[in-house]
Amino acid sequence: MLSLDLRGYGASARVTGTKALSYRNDIAAAVGHLRRQGASRVVIVGASMGASAVVVAGAVINPPVDAVVAVSAPWNFRGQEAGTAATALRVAFRAIGAGDDGDASKTAKRLVAKATRSPDAASITVAKGGHGWSLLRPGTTVQRDVDAFLDAIAAS
């Protein structure tokens, strides 16, 4: 497992201009690093703006990752056009959203509807759960559903 701090967020340096929106390249570089370290299966998971970024990255990384999980993804976040990128996803995909998080549930369903090339795309939505990583709290339905999805990817 590798936790990535996307540029300009968390402890990473702030950047401006076009470099500020190179999240898909950062994610692709992280996937390349994992593969060089011997990872044979790679699933990319992101929350909030990171969820939009993993959808965009998952659509272009070659060789493809095994799956993409987007938690509370905005349709578009600062040029990360998850809605457009979802049409190019060709990997297993889960989009997750909560009804108490604005349009997150609707967006999750819309992303899955766009992911027509994905061999296994589904949304996981709940009425309440908040935004981002809070949806994956231990013991929640969402956490169990995501664990089952990841177990199925690992077994395939």
Side-chain angles (χ1 to χ4, degrees):
M1 181 173 149
L2 175 66
S3 178
L4 180 62
D5 179 11
L6 293 175
R7 62 180 71 202
Y9 290 87
S12 68
R14 300 277 180 214
V15 293
T16 59
T18 57
K19 288 184 179 182
L21 299 177
S22 299
Y23 306 133
R24 79 176 186 187
N25 297 336
D26 295 341
I27 295 166
V31 168
H33 172 77
L34 288 170
R35 287 179 169 151
R36 285 188 301 280
Q37 298 302 311
S40 60
R41 297 271 190 193
V42 178
V43 176
I44 53 177
V45 181
S48 193
M49 77 94 176
S52 297
V54 296
V55 173
V56 172
V60 298
I61 292 174
N62 195 17
V65 295
D66 294 282
V68 172
V69 178
V71 184
S72 302
W75 189 258
N76 176 8
F77 183 86
R78 296 187 182 173
Q80 305 303 299
E81 296 273 354
T84 301
T87 64
L89 280 177
R90 296 175 191 258
V91 300
F93 176 49
R94 289 297 179 274
I96 301 165
D100 63 348
D101 183 21
D103 288 335
S105 288
K106 291 178 186 174
T107 300
K109 292 174 185 175
R110 288 177 61 208
L111 287 171
V112 167
K114 290 285 189 179
T116 59
R117 295 179 180 174
S118 170
D120 181 13
S123 61
I124 301 171
T125 60
V126 292
K128 294 182 179 181
H131 181 75
W133 296 118
S134 67
L135 287 165
L136 295 174
R137 286 185 306 276
T140 63
T141 301
V142 174
Q143 181 262 322
R144 288 189 296 272
D145 288 350
V146 170
D147 281 355
F149 174 65
L150 297 176
D151 288 346
I153 296 297
S156 65

